[in-house]
Amino acid sequence: MKQEVLLVVLNEYADWEAAFLAASLNAGVTPESESKYVLKVVAPSLEPVRSIGGFRTVPDYGFGTVPDDYAALVLIGGMRWRSDAAAGVVPLVRRAVERGKIVGAICNAASFLAAHGFLNVVRHTGNTLEQLKLWGGSAYTNETGYEQRQAVADGGIVTANGTGYLEFTRELLFALEADSPERIRASYEFNKNGLYSV
């Protein structure tokens, strides 16, 4: 039975930041791959959410119905990570971290993790150190753990800036062991540079 990967989205989510990860998890990393995972969408309720690009997305779970058994919790960036709705994600992340689940956050979702102290013990990145400090305030105490890179994986947490969606996908696929390292690298190279070989 395939394990679930939970994709957390709020209204005005950045649909492009989820696209490559979703395709790789649902269809397989490369044309020769089998999929080990099934993607499920989590939102504040079961009401549809809209992406920045206008995609209407019907969630599989609301915040109150997230299952205990899943492989990763992935927060997709967007414009609402400082909203009241986002506050409902804090217990989900806390529970995931406590249970040793993989947690991913890209763009403003990485800043959200900083604002709630989740980046204080791991190397990480985001939309700039300045934004992490601005959003994090006194809750963010790991300025020395910041790396100016597209994506960083450390201690079960994968972070990326808003333009690092391919690197974010690659690092999450590595963390999930979604396929062989060679196929994951080949998929990244193809999507980044149009080159494919395994």
Side-chain angles (χ1 to χ4, degrees), residues 1 8-9 24 36 39 47 57 88 92 99 129 132 145 147 178:
M1 188 165 160
V8 180
V9 296
S24 294
K36 296 180 182 180
L39 190 72
E47 292 296 314
T57 305
L92 300 179
R99 294 177 179 171
L129 178 58
L132 294 179
E147 297 183 10

Side-chain angles (χ1 to χ4, degrees), residues 55-94:
F55 291 103
R56 182 177 178 268
T57 305
V58 179
D60 297 290
Y61 302 116
F63 290 169
T65 60
V66 171
D68 289 331
D69 187 22
Y70 59 88
L73 183 73
V74 181
L75 284 54
I76 300 303
M79 307 310 291
R80 299 283 181 98
W81 282 102
R82 292 180 102 172
S83 69
D84 291 340
V89 181
V90 174
L92 300 179
V93 175
R94 185 174 296 121

Side-chain angles (χ1 to χ4, degrees), residues 147-196:
E147 297 183 10
Q148 190 170 331
R149 294 174 43 208
Q150 292 294 83
V152 174
D154 187 39
I157 294 180
V158 179
T159 52
N161 67 50
T163 64
Y165 45 86
L166 289 174
E167 291 79 9
F168 185 61
T169 295
R170 179 190 61 201
E171 295 305 321
L172 279 166
L173 294 175
F174 280 142
L176 287 162
E177 297 179 358
D179 208 320
S180 70
E182 294 78 18
R183 283 188 174 162
I184 293 170
R185 280 192 286 272
S187 174
Y188 170 76
E189 287 298 327
F190 175 74
N191 289 310
K192 186 78 171 179
N193 302 308
L195 305 172
Y196 180 76

Side-chain angles (χ1 to χ4, degrees), residues 20 22-36 178-179 187:
F20 290 91
S24 294
L25 292 174
N26 277 332
V29 173
T30 67
E32 302 86 21
S33 299
E34 288 186 36
S35 172
K36 296 180 182 180
D179 208 320
S187 174

